Amino acid sequence: MKIKQYSIKVFEINIESQSSFLAFMDKNIIMLKHYLIYLKGEVTPDMEEYLKSHDISYTTHLNLSDKKHQELVLKQSDLKIIDEIVRSGQDIKVASDLLILNRVNSGAKLQVEGNLIITGIVDGIIFCNGDFMLVKTSSKAMIVFNGVEIDGSLLQNKFNKIIFNGEEIIVSPIEKEPKWA
Amino acid sequence: MGIVYAIISGKGGVGKTTTTANIGIGIAQEGKKVVLVDFDLGQRNLDLILGLENRVIYDMVHVMDEEAGLKQALIKSKHTDNLFLLAASQTKDKSALVQEKVKKLIETLKEEFDYVILDAPAGIESGFEHTIMYADATIVVVNPEVSSIRDADKAIGIVDAKCERAKENKKVQKYLVINRINPAMVSSGEMLASADILDILSIDLLGKIPEDKGIVEASNTGKPIILNEKSGAGAAYKRICKRLCGENVAFEDVETFNSPSIMGKIKGLFQ
């Protein structure tokens, strides 16, 4: 006889309705895929089909009475991250905050409703309506922050903090070059 | 199975076709079997640069429409036995390209040749898209000037979006050739430096070609510059071909301007 031991994490889900269950699974499938799901309540054939098609391990019988549990905290970040160079001709519209870990080339356009940080050099056009922006631009760039075009000579070749406090826009250069990993 | 390279630039007139011809000859001289396909339908040029203008009877559209066999349409180069040209149609335009037929043609060529090199038309229209669609890798040719860089940037973006390999989530390798570098102008800051171009485009450097007056004559006489042993541009193309064949060749400095030294001038007096 051969016995193996595994330590696994179990997610206990109280099913309220099929639709809410499927919506929850769809949203969190990437995380839940790797764990065992303990289902309480009625498991409909549609739900079984869904779990099978996503290759998820689940059970309906499990005794966890003497185990401690944690409440599941689901955090949804509103930050969009772009880890690629933004090339000429690209037109990116983002309703949330945006972090770009590369350069924005001449001929590219960004329209951001939230805050914006770009770690590369900006040669393109930026429209940002957030409260905060951190950018380094070349003389070719055009930066419009909350409807106001910011004079390029203020920004050139340095990282700049640009803050909108509801009344005025404050541009302050960062003297020490940030070291992005 | 061969590898398919598309030679692109975005902007016209930067030296795509010249680069295609020289790379074709160079790789063939390394002993590989190469076919060059001119995708610039309606504006056929590659045959001229290779000195084969009077030998074109059937072109790639004839082959795709099965009006001629591939063997009939392939034109052997005068300069090396390993190099063949499949010419563009001079009478038909870009609308003659149909995706399925292009795919079939490229797959057939891949079986026959080690290197299939496609000369893309300038611009980013349908002809360009057909050229990059089935490429395994692209060679981006630029001149050290801002308009060329921006157009190349856009073309690279389209490769990443439209190429079949990119759609299958495979990497499409992109190599940069900086053409027509004028050392005196780079030194004086009138021309963009290679480091800045690489920074903007963020792709791998394949080679730098210095400006060479011999290129015009080479094109006019149908003898690509790589055949000229004395040419700096020819030597640069040779290094590129070795790199494409997997050799590790160091990058030479073609950007530092060497004004003739006093000793050189004195020596010149006695010659």
Side-chain angles (χ1 to χ4, degrees):
Chain A
M1 196 163 79
K2 201 173 172 187
I3 299 174
K4 287 182 179 173
Q5 177 185 319
Y6 294 95
S7 299
I8 53 169
K9 214 176 238 179
V10 178
F11 285 93
E12 179 188 293
I13 301 176
N14 277 303
I15 300 165
E16 279 166 4
S17 71
Q18 179 178 307
S19 58
S20 66
F21 172 78
L22 290 178
F24 174 81
M25 291 302 287
D26 257 339
K27 206 172 173 189
N28 299 295
I29 189 83
I30 295 168
M31 178 185 76
L32 294 173
K33 237 179 176 170
H34 306 288
Y35 300 107
L36 177 64
I37 314 286
Y38 169 35
L39 296 172
K40 281 169 126 179
E42 193 201 348
V43 182
T44 62
D46 275 1
M47 283 155 59
E48 263 179 62
E49 181 67 27
Y50 179 90
L51 293 162
K52 214 179 226 174
S53 68
H54 287 84
D55 206 19
I56 291 172
S57 321
Y58 70 98
T59 174
T60 49
H61 301 283
L62 201 64
N63 187 5
L64 297 169
S65 53
D66 58 337
K67 302 280 188 301
K68 274 189 206 159
H69 73 274
Q70 283 179 339
E71 291 300 328
L72 180 64
V73 183
L74 283 175
K75 253 195 235 163
Q76 279 281 307
S77 163
D78 227 10
L79 176 69
K80 187 176 159 57
I81 302 169
I82 295 178
D83 194 8
E84 278 159 357
I85 190 161
V86 183
R87 296 195 184 273
S88 175
Q90 277 182 273
D91 185 354
I92 295 174
K93 288 177 190 161
V94 177
S96 63
D97 295 340
L98 178 64
L99 170 62
I100 297 185
L101 299 163
N102 212 319
R103 31 180 317 133
V104 177
N105 276 350
S106 164
K109 188 173 165 192
L110 296 176
Q111 297 178 65
V112 186
E113 292 308 318
N115 304 316
L116 174 65
I117 297 177
I118 302 175
T119 63
I121 294 175
V122 178
D123 285 336
I125 301 175
I126 293 176
F127 291 90
C128 174
N129 289 328
D131 301 326
F132 174 83
M133 212 163 61
L134 181 66
V135 289
K136 182 177 183 176
T137 68
S138 79
S139 55
K140 291 179 230 161
M142 175 171 145
I143 311 289
V144 179
F145 187 57
N146 289 292
V148 178
E149 186 175 352
I150 295 176
D151 185 358
S153 59
L154 286 173
L155 300 177
Q156 261 179 58
N157 299 321
K158 243 183 208 159
F159 275 100
N160 284 273
K161 263 194 308 193
I162 303 168
I163 300 164
F164 182 56
N165 63 9
E167 286 173 6
E168 52 182 355
I169 290 169
I170 303 159
V171 179
S172 43
I174 292 177
E175 293 304 330
K176 214 173 157 196
E177 185 88 347
K179 279 197 182 110
W180 315 103
Chain B
M1 239 354 205
I3 180 163
V4 183
Y5 284 98
I7 304 210
I8 65 170
S9 70
K11 188 176 179 295
V14 296
K16 246 185 331 298
T17 304
T18 309
T19 300
T20 309
N22 282 291
I23 287 181
I25 292 180
I27 296 177
Q29 284 177 338
E30 295 286 314
K32 304 279 198 284
K33 220 175 157 206
V34 187
V35 63
L36 305 180
V37 189
D38 191 349
F39 264 77
D40 201 351
L41 270 69
Q43 285 175 315
R44 184 164 85 200
N45 279 153
L46 191 52
D47 54 330
L48 282 171
I49 290 179
L50 288 165
L52 298 171
E53 65 265 39
N54 294 323
R55 304 218 193 150
V56 181
I57 298 159
Y58 296 111
D59 56 52
M60 63 177 287
V61 176
H62 290 129
V63 177
M64 284 195 295
D65 292 344
E66 290 171 3
E67 287 166 24
L70 184 61
K71 290 247 151 57
Q72 285 175 291
L74 286 172
I75 308 160
K76 193 172 178 178
S77 162
K78 293 180 202 169
H79 309 296
T80 154
D81 286 347
N82 284 330
L83 179 67
F84 291 82
L85 168 71
L86 186 54
S89 169
Q90 183 69 343
T91 46
K92 300 222 166 83
D93 68 5
K94 285 162 181 113
S95 59
L97 292 174
V98 185
Q99 196 167 327
E100 277 311 302
K101 289 181 181 175
V102 173
K103 185 178 181 182
K104 199 179 149 206
L105 175 71
I106 290 175
E107 270 168 11
T108 320
L109 290 170
K110 258 169 110 166
E111 278 165 27
E112 299 260 330
F113 293 91
D114 301 323
Y115 286 79
V116 180
I117 301 178
L118 317 176
D119 183 18
I124 46 171
E125 316 304 327
S126 67
F128 168 79
E129 284 180 17
H130 280 113
T131 320
I132 56 148
M133 197 70 85
Y134 303 104
D136 298 314
T138 57
I139 295 173
V140 185
V141 183
V142 297
N143 289 168
E145 49 172 296
V146 284
S147 53
S148 166
I149 305 300
R150 184 196 270 189
D151 290 359
D153 191 37
K154 171 102 198 191
I156 293 167
I158 293 174
V159 170
D160 280 337
K162 299 249 165 109
C163 174
E164 282 291 304
R165 258 181 96 82
K167 282 185 199 158
E168 292 163 14
N169 277 327
K170 287 187 211 156
K171 204 170 176 235
V172 190
Q173 200 51 258
K174 293 169 284 275
Y175 301 106
L176 183 68
V177 171
I178 307 173
N179 195 15
R180 282 201 203 138
I181 297 174
N182 183 326
M185 286 175 81
V186 174
S187 304
S188 64
E190 290 166 75
M191 214 172 231
L192 283 172
S194 307
D196 295 335
I197 299 173
L198 284 165
D199 225 27
I200 294 171
L201 295 178
S202 304
I203 59 176
D204 299 332
L205 182 64
L206 180 62
K208 300 185 230 178
I209 319 281
E211 191 164 42
D212 193 322
K213 291 201 174 73
I215 293 226
V216 178
E217 198 215 339
S219 298
N220 289 341
T221 53
K223 276 192 211 139
I225 197 90
I226 196 167
L227 299 165
N228 180 347
E229 299 283 335
K230 287 175 194 153
S231 156
Y237 276 123
K238 254 191 195 135
R239 291 195 291 273
I240 286 178
C241 295
K242 291 212 160 96
R243 284 179 200 125
L244 285 172
C245 292
E247 255 183 76
N248 200 351
V249 186
F251 287 98
E252 300 230 343
D253 179 17
V254 300
E255 288 175 297
T256 311
F257 178 57
N258 297 316
S259 52
S261 64
I262 295 171
M263 278 309 284
K265 281 180 190 159
I266 294 170
K267 271 184 197 158
L269 286 177
F270 292 102
Q271 271 167 8

